[in-house]
Amino acid sequence: MSPTPVLASTREELHRALARGTESSSPVVLVPTMGALHEGHASLFRLARERAGAGSVAASLFVNPLQFGAGEDLDRYPRTLAADLALCAEEGVDVVFAPSVEEMYPGGLPSVTVDPGPLGSELEGAFRPGHFAGVLTVVAKLFGLVRPDVAVFGEKDYQQLVLVRTMSRELCLGVEVVGAETVREPDGLALSSRNRYLEPDQRRHAAVLSRALRAAQDRAPYGVPSARWAAMRVLREEPDVDVDYLALRTPDLGELPEHPVDPVPGRILVAARVGSTRLIDNRPLTIGGATLPA
Ligand code: PAF
């Protein structure tokens, strides 16, 4: 196990911890999280450790009220600080920033927020109005507080990853945004802090999401409608899983041609409710290049 990370709860403690651990030339890599850490986060920390080399890895643990809508799970979102710190220590995180809401938003919620642009109202944004403004605002603040060279985000929240990358580029924040592959359970379910809300039978049903994405991948050479049809057919096997959307997009979440003659990279994304738990998943696929057998 690595030495215990320095725990900073205030901005001042954070600045002291970062100044202590870092040569000015060595990189600082940030992994923003909302805590309730699991093996998926561990893989982000490992990637961050690799990227940081002799530099520092900082993780933030902060359940950001700004990105939760009315009726969402802000109050019941799991808070597991002691276990989170243990995982950070195991994975070689140097500094853990775990501020209170008051420390993060002194004087109340900010009057200036980051507008995610049109993509912020699509897919997840259509079901969670204001969510991405809340995410981008807290990430911009974390970038300002930590001043990382690199930030690592999971591909599991793919739209978030695309929007954060766009924000960093378009607002010239100078942070390289790196995506890390989704970690899955043996039955394919993407790891998520929200999986712990699932009852055992819901947990079994939830695996249909990744099965549907794989089915789409198999049909993707025949075009977008075939891939979508294959995924929907699998999703209908579980009537207790209510699909909010199933979308095929380009890797940067633009529109995909339905029947590309030559294969093109794409992304399939799904969101569904299993009981009161909302789950999302996505995977890359290659669309087009084949014609349906006659
Ligand atoms: O992905 C998350 O855990 C959160 O959306 C993030 C990026 C930490 C911002 O609160």
Side-chain angles (χ1 to χ4, degrees), residues 192-245:
S192 161
S193 304
R194 291 188 167 99
N195 291 353
R196 61 188 86 188
Y197 299 152
L198 298 169
E199 301 293 342
D201 57 334
Q202 296 176 330
R203 165 65 193 79
R204 258 185 299 106
H205 298 158
V208 77
L209 296 190
S210 74
R211 284 206 303 281
L213 300 186
R214 277 204 313 275
Q217 188 177 25
D218 294 343
R219 299 296 293 180
Y222 302 109
V224 169
S226 285
R228 183 180 292 120
W229 176 83
M232 282 311 298
R233 202 176 60 145
V234 173
L235 288 166
R236 282 195 204 102
E237 289 167 9
E238 292 292 0
D240 295 339
V241 174
D242 289 316
V243 177
D244 280 346
Y245 62 82

Side-chain angles (χ1 to χ4, degrees), residues 14-292:
L14 174 70
H15 288 144
R16 270 205 304 271
L18 288 169
R20 195 178 326 143
T22 322
E23 298 285 318
S24 58
S25 58
S26 50
V28 174
V29 182
L30 171 66
V31 185
T33 82
M34 297 205 299
L37 303 180
H38 48 68
E39 192 48 37
H41 295 105
S43 78
L44 306 185
F45 296 146
R46 273 175 232 137
L47 184 57
R49 190 66 272 163
E50 258 172 59
R51 289 299 305 259
S56 299
V57 174
S60 60
L61 311 178
F62 179 63
V63 182
N64 172 34
L66 213 54
Q67 68 189 74
F68 288 79
E72 291 189 6
D73 57 344
L74 173 61
D75 291 336
R76 74 164 174 154
Y77 200 87
R79 273 103 169 151
T80 56
L81 183 62
D84 292 349
L85 290 175
L87 186 83
C88 288
E90 260 169 49
E91 298 302 340
V93 173
D94 300 295
V95 177
V96 174
F97 181 45
S100 64
V101 173
E102 294 69 34
E103 183 67 25
M104 204 57 185
Y105 297 121
L109 296 182
S111 54
V112 174
T113 57
V114 179
D115 181 348
L119 179 58
S121 319
E122 297 174 27
L123 303 169
E124 277 303 282
F127 288 85
R128 305 185 67 188
H131 170 67
F132 287 117
V135 169
L136 294 190
T137 301
V138 80
V139 170
K141 279 191 79 132
L142 290 166
F143 284 5
L145 289 167
V146 176
R147 309 262 161 187
D149 301 281
V150 177
V152 179
F153 292 80
E155 286 187 349
K156 154 82 177 19
D157 293 291
Y158 191 77
Q159 189 175 3
Q160 166 176 285
L161 169 65
V162 169
L163 283 167
V164 170
R165 192 174 272 147
T166 307
M167 172 178 77
S168 187
R169 186 182 64 242
E170 293 191 353
L171 301 186
C172 306
L173 302 183
V175 179
E176 182 192 348
V177 175
V178 173
E181 231 177 86
T182 302
V183 179
R184 296 177 182 279
E185 300 278 9
D187 67 357
L189 180 69
L191 296 196
S192 161
S193 304
R194 291 188 167 99
N195 291 353
R196 61 188 86 188
Y197 299 152
L198 298 169
E199 301 293 342
D201 57 334
Q202 296 176 330
R203 165 65 193 79
R204 258 185 299 106
H205 298 158
V208 77
L209 296 190
S210 74
R211 284 206 303 281
L213 300 186
R214 277 204 313 275
Q217 188 177 25
D218 294 343
R219 299 296 293 180
Y222 302 109
V224 169
S226 285
R228 183 180 292 120
W229 176 83
M232 282 311 298
R233 202 176 60 145
V234 173
L235 288 166
R236 282 195 204 102
E237 289 167 9
E238 292 292 0
D240 295 339
V241 174
D242 289 316
V243 177
D244 280 346
Y245 62 82
L246 175 77
L248 284 102
R249 297 284 181 102
T250 62
D252 56 5
L253 299 183
E255 293 301 323
L256 254 186
E258 296 256 292
H259 293 285
V261 177
D262 295 319
V264 295
R267 200 93 196 175
I268 182 164
L269 305 100
V270 67
R273 281 161 291 115
V274 189
S276 61
T277 305
R278 197 156 176 287
L279 299 175
I280 58 174
D281 199 358
N282 70 85
R283 68 186 307 145
L285 34 65
T286 304
I287 293 283
T291 43
L292 275 172

